[in-house]
Amino acid sequence: MRITHGDLDRFVEQVRPYTEYGQIVEYIPALAKVDPSQVSIALHMLEGECVTAGDTEETFTIQSISKVLSLAYILMERGEAEVFHRVGMEPTGDPFNSIAKLETNRPNKPLNPMINAGALAVTALMPGDGLEERWERFRKFLSALTDKDTLTFNDEVQQSELETADLNRSLAYFLRQHQVIQGDVEELLQLYTRQCSIEMNCQELARIGAVFARDGICPTSGESILPPYIVRICKTFMVTCGMYNASGEFAIKVGIPAKTGVSGGILGIVPGVCGIGVYSPALDEKGNSLAGWKLMELISRTYDFSMF
Ligand code: DON
């Protein structure tokens, strides 16, 4: 399949007008300082080429996209039994930071690892002695996925998240009260906000997608980074829960396993074909990138990428 920069450029300009109808996220103040008209996309083809268009040099924090990456990491480190003892496998139909079902569900574990409560339960399992060692081990894992050892998090965004994380803090304390997690909640909040504040551009995001699209094999070296069963679990969660409470609509209209973040990033996986990284910060009312969604829809229809 030949996809050119010219094709993607046309699609980007076609969806850019939608950015005017979206909202930049406001509950994390440092995220609010971006130009809402940006749109960028990268497709990392499994043959090696990365085709890009739009404002591709722009970096952004990956926010909830990190939930797929922490899940893959913790499944490798702790295994399926331990992970699913602490989080479920079902979509919630609720907003990503909702506390409601945590109280009514029995047992009181989060319904899935793609919502904030579930991601906190997963991150709480990060191995290591203390914040820095735990972070460094996760960062090393991510470096293999991005092929970039200099991966960092955005300090300003992380501080801003920590200062406004009372909802996440309350989810974490709730989980500890119900023995879903153990240990120091503030250290967990530090780790979680660092993972959300990891900064990259859409090419790097697409590169991660390509590893998943190739069933865990590095697209450049051919080395195995993730076992195929972990890739399968992650892709399934992306289909059922990756676009929050709009995942069903996204599956019908786009049909690509994807994970969104409130900064406006979307990671997409087209199995056997390519990884997709999209960025456009203006969001719809459910917290998904408005132009990003339209762009994914256009690409999926044009190239017949829906898996259904
Ligand atoms: O924890 C938060 O609310 C943000 N750091 C990330 C939220 C996000 O991207 C959507 N979550 N599923």
Side-chain angles (χ1 to χ4, degrees):
M1 179 174 317
R2 180 94 184 106
I3 299 175
T4 66
H5 165 75
D7 299 330
L8 294 187
D9 208 36
R10 255 196 340 276
F11 296 145
V12 163
E13 294 320 317
Q14 206 172 320
V15 303
R16 204 184 287 275
Y18 285 102
T19 60
E20 287 178 29
Y21 302 101
Q23 294 291 322
I24 301 292
V25 71
E26 276 171 358
Y27 76 100
I28 302 171
L31 285 183
K33 299 181 188 164
V34 292
D35 168 6
S37 69
Q38 297 175 86
V39 183
S40 57
I41 184 164
L43 262 60
H44 194 115
M45 310 308 292
L46 294 198
E47 297 77 31
E49 191 190 7
C50 188
V51 194
T52 65
D55 312 294
T56 48
E57 288 320 308
E58 205 55 46
T59 59
F60 50 92
T61 57
I62 62 172
Q63 296 299 325
S64 285
I65 297 169
S66 68
K67 293 176 167 114
V68 178
L69 311 180
S70 54
L71 174 66
Y73 172 59
I74 295 305
L75 281 168
M76 280 186 78
E77 291 287 333
R78 305 277 194 181
E80 261 181 280
E82 171 76 18
V83 170
F84 294 119
H85 175 60
R86 295 176 192 280
V87 288
M89 303 182 188
E90 302 303 333
T92 66
D94 295 328
F96 60 83
N97 51 10
S98 175
I99 200 164
K101 293 214 170 82
L102 258 193
E103 201 177 2
T104 54
N105 206 38
R106 289 289 178 279
N108 297 85
K109 66 182 188 185
L111 275 171
N112 71 69
M114 300 291 116
I115 51 173
N116 286 10
L120 285 161
V122 167
T123 297
L125 293 172
M126 281 191 186
D129 188 12
L131 174 66
E132 295 309 329
E133 190 190 316
R134 293 170 85 192
W135 171 252
E136 196 42 37
R137 285 172 68 168
F138 181 49
R139 208 187 61 81
K140 277 231 159 64
F141 165 79
L142 294 178
S143 300
L145 286 176
T146 49
D147 200 20
K148 186 180 168 200
D149 196 37
T150 52
L151 201 72
T152 57
F153 63 91
N154 180 316
D155 242 341
E156 191 196 344
V157 172
Q158 194 234 355
Q159 276 312 318
S160 184
E161 287 212 39
L162 264 184
E163 282 159 20
T164 53
D166 284 343
L167 190 46
N168 285 333
R169 214 169 255 118
S170 51
L171 290 170
Y173 278 111
F174 188 98
L175 293 173
R176 195 171 70 174
Q177 178 72 37
H178 289 275
Q179 287 98 43
V180 177
I181 65 170
Q182 275 117 32
D184 181 27
V185 166
E186 275 313 310
E187 183 172 311
L188 169 60
L189 263 291
Q190 289 273 359
L191 262 179
Y192 171 79
T193 51
R194 279 189 189 188
Q195 77 172 63
C196 290
S197 307
I198 291 167
E199 200 160 37
M200 54 180 82
N201 59 28
C202 62
Q203 292 95 303
E204 287 154 354
L205 199 54
R207 165 71 160 65
I208 294 179
V211 176
F212 283 84
R214 231 188 127 182
D215 272 339
I217 308 283
C218 171
T220 37
S221 69
E223 181 197 335
S224 167
I225 300 178
L226 294 168
Y229 86 94
I230 290 183
V231 172
R232 184 174 46 75
I233 293 173
C234 292
K235 282 188 300 193
T236 314
F237 275 123
M238 290 167 85
V239 170
T240 56
C241 317
M243 303 297 282
Y244 318 137
N245 43 335
S247 299
E249 184 184 348
F250 192 81
I252 288 172
K253 292 186 171 160
V254 183
I256 294 174
K259 183 73 194 90
T260 199
V262 287
S263 54
I266 305 177
L267 166 69
I269 297 166
V270 186
V273 180
C274 65
I276 303 178
V278 163
Y279 173 60
S280 183
L283 308 179
D284 66 17
E285 67 288 350
K286 289 185 176 167
N288 290 310
S289 168
L290 191 55
W293 175 306
K294 294 286 174 198
L295 192 50
M296 295 283 283
E297 206 173 322
L298 209 52
I299 301 254
S300 175
R301 282 221 202 109
T302 309
Y303 302 110
D304 197 16
F305 278 169
S306 173
M307 63 189 290
F308 300 107

